[in-house]
Amino acid sequence: MSASLTTTFDDKNTETSNLINPTLVLNCGSSSIKYALISEDNSIRITGLAENLGLDTARIKHTTLNGDKLEISISGGRHQLALQKILELLEQYHFIAVGHRVVHGGREYSAAVRVDEHVLDEVKRLKILAPLHNPAHALGIEAVQAIYPDIPQVVVFDTAFHQTMPPVAFRYPLPKALYEEHKIRRYGFHGTSHAYVSERASEITESKGPHGWLTAHLGNGCSATAVYDGKSFDTSMGLTPLEGLMMGTRSGDVDPSLHIHLKRQLGMSLEEIDAMLNNESGLLGVSGLSNDLRTVEQAANEGHADAKLAIEMFCYRVGKYLASLSCALPEFTGIVFTGGIGENSVTTRTSILEVMRHFGIKVDADKNASLFGGSEGSFHADNSSIELWVVPTDEECRIAQETREALGLL
Ligand code: AMP
């Protein structure tokens, strides 16, 4: 594949057809691959999703530069085949680098890094800390290597942004040897999202820095981070992405003795308990209906008691966590909401802030009600003690940016 290029396409909209020096961003999961081809100035992108990998229904949903939608069946296809097709679809745009989202980087990586043999081995080895994610990321890296051995690849770790946490925040109160010999500590996740929205909030606020933000990434996965002067000081997720807030299907914090109790009382195996906490808990577990907040909200509005409780618990736990994370900030500038729920659910934002009722936070209800569907803006009243922002997250943009930085292309 050729190096740096400006490519003009036979495209209906020539205004948007200059996809200059694009970076391909890949997020390889265990049964899906999300991808985005992003121009050098982040203004243009082509996106898609390969899903149901390994099943008869495996397919690629691709959105072209024109916005046309294609669906390509790759029945039974796994990562290698899906990536081969994706790369065929994108080959004409001459991407110059590939950036991979990688969930776990352990404690070795505090920034994005170019892939070499050692890095790939580390991604594989960290399967012990992210068994569902890291093996799929490694497959993605190897598949690109096999097809385009000369394209530089970079890994951008979800954990890297949180490497600035001090020991007081990242250590567990456990025997020292578990940390020193077995790397048992808090790592934190959703790093690219927390980094992106906190940086964006610092750009758009009128207040002078350094800024202290609490970023609330509320989607199907949920986490909150205390970011001061662009650095993560503490975060809600820990050794794994299960710790912290209540999520779509994940419990978040529970009593650490729950495992032994369930084992003794119900004869459940550790694997069964782990699956229950990860896949059958959270909004889904409490409501008994769905992990999707929209479904749970609709049921709550129709009087479903468990759905109502699930939402109350979700908001209470987010508010309680944000209040405690504020202790990590030398100064508290404001809260930034993001993720599918944070960006769209006006009532959830209101309920979370009501939980923090001793903080002097004042919401401008009209501004809050106007922020959904991808809009960005503030919604604090003039007399509020802190600022309130909605910033739609853009992890792909951040990964493309970090990929270019790691390769010295900026
Ligand atoms: P994400 O994982 O960031 O895509 O977020 C998914 C979550 O966002 C799901 O729980 C959705 O129900 C929720 N969500 C998306 N749009 C809305 C909306 N308009 N109102 C409430 N929740 C929403």
Side-chain angles (χ1 to χ4, degrees), residues 49-123:
L49 170 73
E51 60 185 6
N52 304 341
L53 299 180
L55 304 177
D56 290 349
T57 50
R59 61 189 164 187
I60 296 174
K61 290 176 170 171
H62 181 78
T63 306
T64 69
L65 206 53
N66 287 330
D68 296 337
K69 303 214 183 291
L70 309 176
E71 198 167 303
I72 302 158
S73 168
I74 49 165
S75 188
R78 294 178 186 278
H79 291 75
Q80 178 81 30
L81 179 66
L83 274 164
Q84 198 178 317
K85 295 280 174 206
I86 292 166
L87 295 174
E88 273 170 25
L89 284 166
L90 300 175
E91 191 175 39
Q92 55 177 313
Y93 303 107
H94 304 290
F95 48 90
I96 58 165
V98 179
H100 293 263
R101 175 202 177 212
V102 172
V103 165
H104 222 305
R107 62 179 178 187
E108 188 168 339
Y109 298 107
S110 56
V113 58
R114 186 172 179 158
V115 174
D116 59 17
E117 218 172 303
H118 170 71
V119 171
L120 180 56
D121 284 349
E122 272 298 289
V123 171

Side-chain angles (χ1 to χ4, degrees), residues 1-2 94-98 114 144-145 148-153:
M1 177 159 288
S2 51
H94 304 290
F95 48 90
I96 58 165
V98 179
R114 186 172 179 158
V144 175
Q145 256 173 2
Y148 293 118
D150 296 331
I151 284 276
Q153 300 195 69

Side-chain angles (χ1 to χ4, degrees), residues 21 40 117 144 148 184 248 294 317 320 389 402 407:
N21 291 335
E40 190 176 48
E117 218 172 303
V144 175
Y148 293 118
I184 305 297
R294 283 164 293 196
R317 285 180 166 238
K320 194 166 86 160
W389 290 88
E402 290 194 26
L407 294 173

